[in-house]
């Protein structure tokens, strides 16, 4: 079955086309599947095999959530891959192996070729993304522990989002996969291969900042004086965690202070000691409510 699936996708990539994804929208939660058929007259899914525009709108964003990692890394994790319609590809660069790592992730960007974009668009179609609203598949929880959930979000030409979330994607290849999951796995692998490019530094015009009262990793001695252009109580609470978004000139002093800081750095303010976590806000994200 897998050989047939892979063979069909290879043929699709060679032709830069794929079959009709149909008019069904499917929602999967754990091992339970509910299928909802679209009402007559519903607009057909966009044709993703058409050449991309020159727009810098987001085409596809893939992020990984959860997993057995420290909370500090979890809340400060950027999207894994972002593809814009003009072929710009934004991804996380190589991360230092030493612990604790830097606060600000090294984000990279490169320009994809027309063939790369065709491959991506064919796999988006083959994974069924244009035909769904949201699919959540947690079936692999029966086989894999402490894995991440891969969330692929396709933005159609009207800006509507189509989301496929899969727990432990690609980690259960000994299991027979349906066509959409097999092709979603291929899509993620294609993006991972493209991310091997050295790329150029990517710096957003906005950063999202979160603080943790009491700091983190108290056994690591790296305490500095608070010199940020905001006070801890200036940030809004989101899920009980202070958060703020800073852009332009407001972002620069924050970047400078965090340039050599790690996730274990403690910052002393007159109101207490805090950890300060920050990362670039990527295209397609709003700010504090990005998750």
């Amino acid at each position: 079955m897998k050989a047939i699936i892979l063979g069909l996708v290879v043929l699709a990539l060679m032709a830069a086309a794929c079959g009709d994804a149909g008019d069904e929208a499917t929602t999967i939660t754990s091992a339970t599947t509910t299928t909802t058929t679209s009402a007559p007259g519903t607009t057909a899914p966009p044709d993703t095999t058409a050449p991309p525009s020159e727009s810098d709108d987001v085409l596809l964003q893939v992020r990984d959530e959860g997993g057995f990692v420290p909370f500090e890394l979890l809340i400060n994790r950027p999207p894994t891959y972002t593809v814009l319609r003009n072929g710009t590809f934004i991804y996380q660069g190589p991360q230092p192996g030493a612990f604790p790592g830097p606060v600000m992730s090294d984000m990279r960007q490169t320009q994809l070729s027309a063939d790369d974009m065709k491959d991506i668009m064919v796999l988006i179609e083959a994974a069924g993304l244009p035909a769904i609203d949201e699919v959540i598949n947690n079936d692999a929880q029966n086989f894999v522990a402490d894995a991440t959930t891969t969330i692929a979000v396709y933005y159609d030409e009207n800006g509507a989002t189509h989301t496929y979330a899969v727990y432990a994607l690609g980690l259960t290849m000994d299991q027979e996969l349906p066509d959409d999951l097999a092709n979603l796995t291929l899509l993620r692998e294609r993006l991972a291969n493209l991310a091997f490019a050295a790329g150029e530094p990517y710096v957003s015009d906005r950063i999202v900042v979160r603080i943790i009262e009491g700091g983190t990793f108290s056994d690591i001695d790296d305490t500095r004086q608070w010199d940020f252009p905001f006070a801890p109580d200036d940030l809004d609470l989101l899920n009980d965690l202070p958060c703020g978004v800073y852009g332009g000139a407001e972002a620069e002093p924050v970047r400078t202070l965090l340039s050599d800081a790690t996730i274990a750095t403690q910052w002393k303010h007159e109101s207490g000691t805090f950890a300060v976590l920050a990362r670039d806000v990527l295209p397609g994200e709003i700010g504090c409510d990005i998750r």
Side-chain angles (χ1 to χ4, degrees), residues 18-25 45-46 124-132:
C18 62
D20 185 3
D23 290 326
E24 288 190 338
I124 286 172
E125 182 79 24
L129 286 169
I132 64 172

Side-chain angles (χ1 to χ4, degrees), residues 55-135:
S55 166
D56 59 0
D57 291 340
V58 179
L59 172 72
L60 177 71
Q61 191 161 77
V62 178
R63 63 183 187 268
D64 293 286
E65 295 187 353
F68 190 64
V69 295
F71 174 72
E72 295 77 10
L73 297 179
L74 193 64
I75 64 173
N76 204 41
R77 179 187 287 163
T80 314
Y81 309 115
T82 300
V83 181
L84 307 187
R85 286 188 171 270
N86 61 12
T88 300
F89 180 43
I90 305 168
Y91 55 96
Q92 192 170 4
Q95 301 301 299
F99 181 86
V103 172
M104 297 286 292
S105 296
D106 175 26
M107 301 304 297
R108 298 277 158 173
Q109 65 179 348
T110 190
Q111 186 66 32
L112 300 181
S113 69
D115 286 343
D116 291 334
M117 289 296 288
K118 286 179 181 178
D119 289 354
I120 289 170
M121 295 169 83
V122 165
L123 287 169
I124 286 172
E125 182 79 24
L129 286 169
I132 64 172
D133 291 323
E134 183 179 38
V135 170

